């Protein structure tokens, strides 16, 4: 597949110019005639019962059109996450739109719709609420103690779930091991910091049908959740596809409170209602789950694993949401399956606290796992004298091996060894100095981390949506419209899918346009998550394009009176194989198919003899055949100031096996964005809360420290190992999440190489480094 004209080329994003001049397609810009503005009243207490709500004064305020409280909403327990069927027996349904019990500080308890946002805000101040405060638990270990107050009735010791798995005989494995290592690693709650806030506009018609415009990552997931929570059939809920949204990173994979509340307010007023979250409200909507991971690892003298045990405590917070699913992906693809071991065991605990809800975040539990695993691997290598590069290569899979997650699949494309070797060569690994061997107060170190197996979607996971669909229509000017329910969350998904379609159709780059629709008109597509769009949605687009191309060539064969097997399409032209010059254009063939008369003579129009009349269109709806694993290895060089504890990331080399690269410049952008988020996770990001009230203290970008251009390394090198996945569109797999999974442990290992101290709790702040150095 080397002779491709669109795939593999760096092309400009299809929405680039529009975003530069204002981005009118962002959902935050949706405005409908007669639109009201909604606001939510939030509890100041982390755990309380509502005894009384008096909304009289708020309802009397001029400009207020509706007020709702728990008594006005359906009391239907639901789970907000999008990618599992609402009725799945494994899905925990423990949330209500508005409830008379609050379980975290900031939980909504009432809502107002008014003619302006300012009036709505003022109305909230007029609502009187009487609470009965209840004991609050903010620490998972404390919440699990016998006799701790129950956050949800019937959930003993606040432990929502206790998943586990095992392979082999873990006790025998440790008994046979030559060395045993143990360590505990902790990661904090961090926020995704997307650009566009959560926003929605709900519009209910006279028949009770509601239309939603929202900044979300799944059209059909929101429709399903909305219908379920409101007690409506799905046919009465329509979600409109935005051209793009201003970032998601997983945090927009749930129905927030704003969507059903806006719908209820709209239903009450019969006017559109808009709710936009403040940055504070965004910060307390969801974040990456804090985790504590304990590892016990047995190693043989030859540097192979003998046994691997892990346990994880996940703070799922006030409501289950994604917690029970995050911990499973964390365990399988984060902790255990990347490295081979004859004996393995993992045990998890999903624990309720009165903290703000946790949710999805790019990597879905793997960044927490990777920090633990890759940190301990370097500790093992340092203690036993193994080269960290060779140690990792010795303990991972090879091309052709059975897939560790599902042995029925094979690792038909697996470039992890090349990622490690190329990255080590580019960073100068062979010249790396021993730990803490530098002189002066500013010391440099080189570290690495890897993630040998990740996902290209959710095939193989029980009860998780994965199928995708697409519609492609050819136009009389030789262009094509692509309709897919995929949401472009800022990573260039629309551009990638258009490139795949253009390559298969034989059209030039830019000749395929993404056409937005809604849940009434589009085929189902699973969410934009799980590194799935290029592989899963891309496969559906390619199949639809193949169908449209086949129809195009059928028409062309009739028009040209030639066998279809002799025809091909390239750069928008129909060619006869073996002839140097094109014969006719795609535009001409589409016109012939759609025009009732195509030949004009002096005597008038002469009807064509063409029987293949009609629009040339291709459709698809399918699930991908496999879940091929991308892989990644990162190498970084850091500088640590031993007087201040400050860390600078000077250089990064990132190597990825992503199958075929569809858009190189887009892939490079993914790598650099993932590195930036990874640096924040490693060194500075941490949501802080009042220890007494549970209120979020880092509620805007002034208080929440994340990397800017100043903290980014000046040298970032992206290496793409193209392994040509046979089940992927043009050989592609995926990339997105792996870019974020590995930076934190790579930086931690580089810090150890620089100054000889190991920090096992993120973020690695200057204070923690100085304390480890004995200077605090």
């Amino acid at each position: 597949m080397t002779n491709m004209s669109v795939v593999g080329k760096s092309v400009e994003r299809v929405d680039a110019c529009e975003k530069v001049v204002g981005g009118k397609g962002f959902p935050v810009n949706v405005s409908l005639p007669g639109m009201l503005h909604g606001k939510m009243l939030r509890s100041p207490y982390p755990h309380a019962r509502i005894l009384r709500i008096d909304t009289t004064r708020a309802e009397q305020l001029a400009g207020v059109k509706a007020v709702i409280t728990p008594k006005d909403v359906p009391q239907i327990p639901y789970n907000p996450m999008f990618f599992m069927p609402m009725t799945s027996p494994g899905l925990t349904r423990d949330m209500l739109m508005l409830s008379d019990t609050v379980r975290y500080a900031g939980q909504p308890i009432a809502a107002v719709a008014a003619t302006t946002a300012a009036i709505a805000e003022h109305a909230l101040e007029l609502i009187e609420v009487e609470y009965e405060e209840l004991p609050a638990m903010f620490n998972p270990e404390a919440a699990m103690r016998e006799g701790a107050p129950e956050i949800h009735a019937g959930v003993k010791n606040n432990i929502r779930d206790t998943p586990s798995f095992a392979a082999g005989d873990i006790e025998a494995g440790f008994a046979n091991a030559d060395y045993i290592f143990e360590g505990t690693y902790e990661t904090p709650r961090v926020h995704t910091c997307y650009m566009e806030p959560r926003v929605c506009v709900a519009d209910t018609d006279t028949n009770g049908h509601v239309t939603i415009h929202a900044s979300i990552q799944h059209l059909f997931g929101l429709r399903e959740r909305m219908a379920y929570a409101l007690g409506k059939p799905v046919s009465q809920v329509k979600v409109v596809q935005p051209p793009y949204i201003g970032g998601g990173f997983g945090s927009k994979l749930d129905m927030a409170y704003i969507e059903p509340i806006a719908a209820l307010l709209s239903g009450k007023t019969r006017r559109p209602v808009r709710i936009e979250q403040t940055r504070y409200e965004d910060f307390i909507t969801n974040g990456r789950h804090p985790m504590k991971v304990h590892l016990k690892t047995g190693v043989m003298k030859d540097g192979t694993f003998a046994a691997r045990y892990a346990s994880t405590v996940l703070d799922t917070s006030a409501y289950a949401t994604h917690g029970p699913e995050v911990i499973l992906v964390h365990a399988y693809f984060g902790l255990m399956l990347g490295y081979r071991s004859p004996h393995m065991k993992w045990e998890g605990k999903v624990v309720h606290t009165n903290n703000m809800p946790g949710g999805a975040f790019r990597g879905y539990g793997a960044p927490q796992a990777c920090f633990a695993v890759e940190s301990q691997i370097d500790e093992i290598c340092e203690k036993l004298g193994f080269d960290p590069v060779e140690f990792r290569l010795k303990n991972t899979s090879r091309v052709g091996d059975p897939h560790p997650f599902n042995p029925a699949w094979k690792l038909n494309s697996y470039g992890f060894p090349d990622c490690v070797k190329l990255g080590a060569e580019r960073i100068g690994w062979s010249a790396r100095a021993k730990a803490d061997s530098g002189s002066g107060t500013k010391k440099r170190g080189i570290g690495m981390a890897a993630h040998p197996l990740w996902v290209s979607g959710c095939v193989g996971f029980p009860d998780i949506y994965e199928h995708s669909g697409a519609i492609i229509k050819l136009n009389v000017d030789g262009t094509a419209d692509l309709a897919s329910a995929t949401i472009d969350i800022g990573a260039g998904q629309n551009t990638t899918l258009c490139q795949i379609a253009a390559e298969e159709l034989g059209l030039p780059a830019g000749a395929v346009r993404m056409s937005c629709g809604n849940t009434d008109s589009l085929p189902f597509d699973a969410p934009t998550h799980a590194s799935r769009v290029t592989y899963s949605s891309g496969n559906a687009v390619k199949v639809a394009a193949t169908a449209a191309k086949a129809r195009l060539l059928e028409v062309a064969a009739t028009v040209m009176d030639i066998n279809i097997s002799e025809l091909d399409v390239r750069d928008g032209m129909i060619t006869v194989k073996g002839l140097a010059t094109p014969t006719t254009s795609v535009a001409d063939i589409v016109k012939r198919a759609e025009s009732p008369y195509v030949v004009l003579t002096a005597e008038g129009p002469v009807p064509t003899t063409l029987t293949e009349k009609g629009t040339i269109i291709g459709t698809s709806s399918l699930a991908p055949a496999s879940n091929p694993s991308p892989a990644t290895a990162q190498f970084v060089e850091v500088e640590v100031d031993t007087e201040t504890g400050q860390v600078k990331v000077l250089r990064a080399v990132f190597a990825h096996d992503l199958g075929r690269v569809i858009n190189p410049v887009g892939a490079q952008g993914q790598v650099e964005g993932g590195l930036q988020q990874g640096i924040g996770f490693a060194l500075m990001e941490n949501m802080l809360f009042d220890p007494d009230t549970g209120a979020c203290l880092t509620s805007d970008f002034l208080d929440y420290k994340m990397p800017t251009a100043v903290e980014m390394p000046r040298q970032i090198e992206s290496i793409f190992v193209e392994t040509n996945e046979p089940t992927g569109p043009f050989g592609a797999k995926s990339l997105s999440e792996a870019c974020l999974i590995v930076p934190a442990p790579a930086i931690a290992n580089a810090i150890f190489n620089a100054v000889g101290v190991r920090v096992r709790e993120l973020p690695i702040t200057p204070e923690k480094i100085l304390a480890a150095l004995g200077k605090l």
Side-chain angles (χ1 to χ4, degrees):
M1 291 190 183
T2 56
N3 189 27
M4 292 189 288
S5 59
V6 181
V7 164
K9 306 298 188 293
S10 291
V11 303
E12 183 180 284
R13 289 192 184 183
V14 295
D15 53 22
C17 182
E18 183 175 302
K19 287 181 176 178
V20 168
V21 298
K24 63 182 180 181
F26 288 119
V28 75
N29 292 323
V30 172
S31 181
L32 300 180
M35 188 171 70
L36 301 174
H37 297 268
K39 290 289 182 179
M40 297 179 293
L41 180 66
R42 294 177 177 271
S43 168
Y45 302 109
H47 199 193
R49 270 191 289 270
I50 299 172
L51 302 179
R52 182 181 65 88
I53 301 180
D54 187 345
T55 61
T56 304
R57 295 172 61 210
E59 291 169 337
Q60 294 172 348
L61 182 65
V64 171
K65 301 300 180 181
V67 180
I68 59 173
T69 64
K71 67 179 176 59
D72 302 308
V73 307
Q75 297 295 297
I76 303 173
Y78 68 92
N79 186 302
M81 73 178 188
F82 288 153
F83 52 80
M84 293 178 69
M86 191 70 250
T87 55
S88 169
L91 195 66
T92 302
R93 294 178 284 276
D94 60 7
M95 293 185 71
L96 296 170
M97 285 178 283
L98 295 176
S99 171
D100 59 7
T101 300
V102 296
R103 295 181 172 88
Y104 71 96
Q107 182 172 330
I109 59 169
V112 173
T115 52
T116 69
I119 293 174
E121 285 276 12
H122 182 39
L124 297 183
E125 298 171 1
L126 302 179
I127 298 175
E128 298 176 10
V129 186
E130 182 181 347
Y131 298 91
E132 176 192 355
E133 289 189 65
L134 300 172
M137 309 294 295
F138 302 119
N139 182 280
E141 281 80 6
M144 288 189 288
R145 289 175 190 152
E146 197 67 38
E150 282 189 350
I151 296 170
H152 288 271
V155 180
K156 186 178 180 182
N157 298 333
N158 297 305
I159 302 174
R160 169 60 71 180
D161 202 4
T162 56
S164 64
F165 71 83
D169 185 335
I170 193 69
E171 297 303 327
F174 282 122
N176 292 330
D178 294 314
Y179 310 98
I180 294 178
F181 293 83
E182 292 194 66
T184 299
Y185 307 83
E186 294 186 58
T187 57
R189 188 185 307 277
V190 294
H191 195 259
T192 51
C193 299
Y194 41 73
M195 177 177 66
E196 181 184 31
R198 291 292 299 244
V199 63
C200 80
V201 177
D203 188 12
T204 305
D205 66 19
T206 54
N207 295 317
H209 291 71
V210 60
T211 299
I212 300 289
H213 305 259
S215 183
I216 40 86
Q217 292 179 231
H218 190 208
L219 294 183
F220 289 90
L222 179 56
R223 180 184 70 166
E224 184 183 40
R225 269 20 179 203
M226 283 278 291
Y228 186 92
L230 294 173
K232 291 176 175 282
V234 292
S235 59
Q236 291 188 9
V237 178
K238 178 169 67 177
V239 182
V240 178
Q241 181 184 30
Y244 40 76
I245 66 172
F249 309 110
S251 274
K252 296 175 182 177
L253 272 174
D254 323 61
M255 181 173 71
Y257 289 100
I258 60 173
E259 289 95 5
I261 287 175
L264 289 166
L265 290 169
S266 176
K268 194 169 184 178
T269 61
R270 287 297 189 262
R271 291 172 64 175
V273 174
R274 179 182 189 273
I275 302 180
E276 177 184 335
Q277 291 192 163
T278 64
R279 190 59 67 178
Y280 161 73
E281 290 176 308
D282 269 342
F283 266 86
I284 64 169
T285 295
N286 58 26
R288 180 179 286 147
H289 294 88
M291 293 191 194
K292 180 178 286 189
V293 178
H294 181 76
L295 297 181
K296 180 179 179 182
T297 304
V299 183
M300 304 303 292
K301 290 180 180 178
D302 65 356
T304 58
F305 286 126
R308 301 182 66 217
Y309 170 81
S311 65
T312 305
V313 174
L314 177 147
D315 180 357
T316 201
S317 311
Y319 297 97
T321 62
H322 291 254
E325 295 300 318
V326 166
I327 201 169
L328 290 177
V329 177
H330 156 86
Y332 282 102
F333 277 91
L335 287 174
M336 307 305 289
L337 298 186
Y339 294 98
R340 295 175 298 182
S341 176
H343 309 286
M344 293 187 293
K345 185 176 181 180
W346 169 77
E347 298 174 300
K349 288 186 174 68
V350 179
V351 184
H352 280 299
T353 63
N354 291 111
N355 294 315
M356 55 158 279
F361 192 160
R362 189 178 185 183
Y364 212 70
Q368 300 96 312
C370 190
F371 172 66
V373 170
E374 295 297 303
S375 294
Q376 191 183 68
I377 284 178
D378 262 40
E379 292 178 48
I380 292 169
C381 291
E382 181 70 22
K383 184 72 173 180
L384 301 182
F386 293 124
D387 182 302
V389 166
E390 295 302 323
F391 185 92
R392 288 172 170 87
L393 290 175
K394 182 176 290 189
N395 285 285
T396 50
S397 300
R398 300 289 183 267
V399 174
D401 285 355
H403 196 295
F405 183 62
N406 183 346
W409 303 332
K410 299 291 184 183
L411 293 173
N412 293 319
S413 62
Y414 189 64
F416 177 69
D418 288 337
C419 291
V420 173
K421 292 172 185 175
L422 288 171
E425 178 185 336
R426 301 287 178 85
I427 199 74
W429 185 263
S430 61
R432 187 180 77 139
K434 292 184 178 181
D436 194 27
S437 60
S439 59
T441 59
K442 294 184 178 181
K443 298 185 176 183
R444 293 191 177 190
I446 292 175
M448 75 161 296
H451 204 65
L453 286 173
W454 189 230
V455 299
S456 285
C458 291
V459 177
F461 292 92
D463 297 329
I464 294 182
Y465 289 130
E466 185 46 78
H467 58 287
S468 296
I471 303 170
I472 291 177
K473 178 177 70 70
L474 292 176
N475 300 313
V476 295
D477 61 358
T479 63
D481 291 324
L482 166 61
S484 162
T486 296
I487 302 292
D488 190 314
I489 62 175
Q493 285 87 358
N494 287 349
T495 305
T496 296
L497 297 182
C498 286
Q499 283 185 263
I500 290 170
E503 186 66 56
E504 182 62 18
L505 289 167
L507 298 180
V512 178
R513 178 185 65 178
M514 184 65 73
S515 179
C516 292
N518 57 64
T519 49
D520 288 353
S521 61
L522 292 169
F524 183 94
D525 201 317
T528 299
H529 77 137
S531 304
R532 67 171 299 277
V533 168
T534 297
Y535 178 73
S536 301
S537 300
N539 267 322
V541 168
K542 188 173 185 292
V543 169
T546 299
K549 181 180 178 180
R551 175 70 177 147
L552 173 72
L553 292 178
E554 284 178 12
V555 177
T558 302
V559 170
M560 300 166 66
D561 193 23
I562 192 171
N563 192 295
I564 192 173
S565 64
E566 297 297 313
L567 298 180
D568 198 4
V569 192
R570 191 169 182 84
D571 295 326
M573 302 300 293
I574 308 293
T575 61
V576 178
K577 295 174 182 178
L579 297 183
T581 57
T583 304
T584 189
S585 69
V586 169
D588 287 339
I589 298 301
V590 178
K591 289 175 187 175
R592 291 289 295 271
E594 293 194 358
S595 300
Y597 297 98
V598 293
V599 179
L600 291 176
T601 69
E603 290 76 24
V606 177
T608 179
T609 57
L610 185 63
T611 58
E612 285 83 359
K613 287 294 188 182
T615 300
I616 296 177
I617 194 168
T619 65
S620 70
S621 182
L622 54 91
S626 184
N627 190 333
S629 290
T632 184
Q634 183 177 27
F635 297 78
V636 297
E637 182 179 11
V638 303
E639 180 182 82
V640 182
D641 189 325
T642 58
E643 295 297 314
T644 66
Q646 289 291 135
V647 177
K648 290 183 180 179
V649 181
L650 304 176
R651 185 162 60 114
V653 176
F654 226 153
H656 292 273
D657 162 23
L658 70 170
R660 174 78 61 180
V661 181
I662 302 295
N663 186 347
V665 71
Q668 185 177 342
Q670 284 283 74
V671 169
E672 293 176 4
L675 174 62
Q676 183 176 26
Q677 286 184 309
I679 290 173
F681 187 47
L683 298 178
M684 60 193 74
E685 295 188 41
N686 188 10
M687 295 183 70
L688 301 177
F689 300 85
D690 186 295
D692 298 319
T693 67
C696 183
L697 302 176
T698 46
S699 57
D700 58 37
F701 292 146
L702 289 176
D703 296 323
Y704 185 84
K705 176 62 176 173
M706 62 179 181
T708 66
V710 174
E711 286 81 23
M712 288 293 285
R714 293 188 177 183
Q715 292 179 270
I716 305 173
E717 182 177 358
S718 299
I719 302 170
F720 298 124
V721 176
E722 295 192 90
T723 53
N724 193 24
E725 167 57 38
T727 67
F730 298 105
K733 293 194 283 193
S734 63
L735 172 67
S736 174
E737 291 171 290
C739 308
L740 171 57
I741 292 171
V742 296
I747 292 168
N749 291 336
I751 290 171
F752 180 86
N753 182 243
V755 295
V757 296
R758 172 73 56 183
V759 180
R760 293 177 172 173
E761 180 185 2
L762 295 181
I764 305 174
T765 60
E767 292 81 4
K768 290 175 184 175
I769 289 176
L770 292 177
L773 290 171
K775 296 187 176 183
L776 280 184

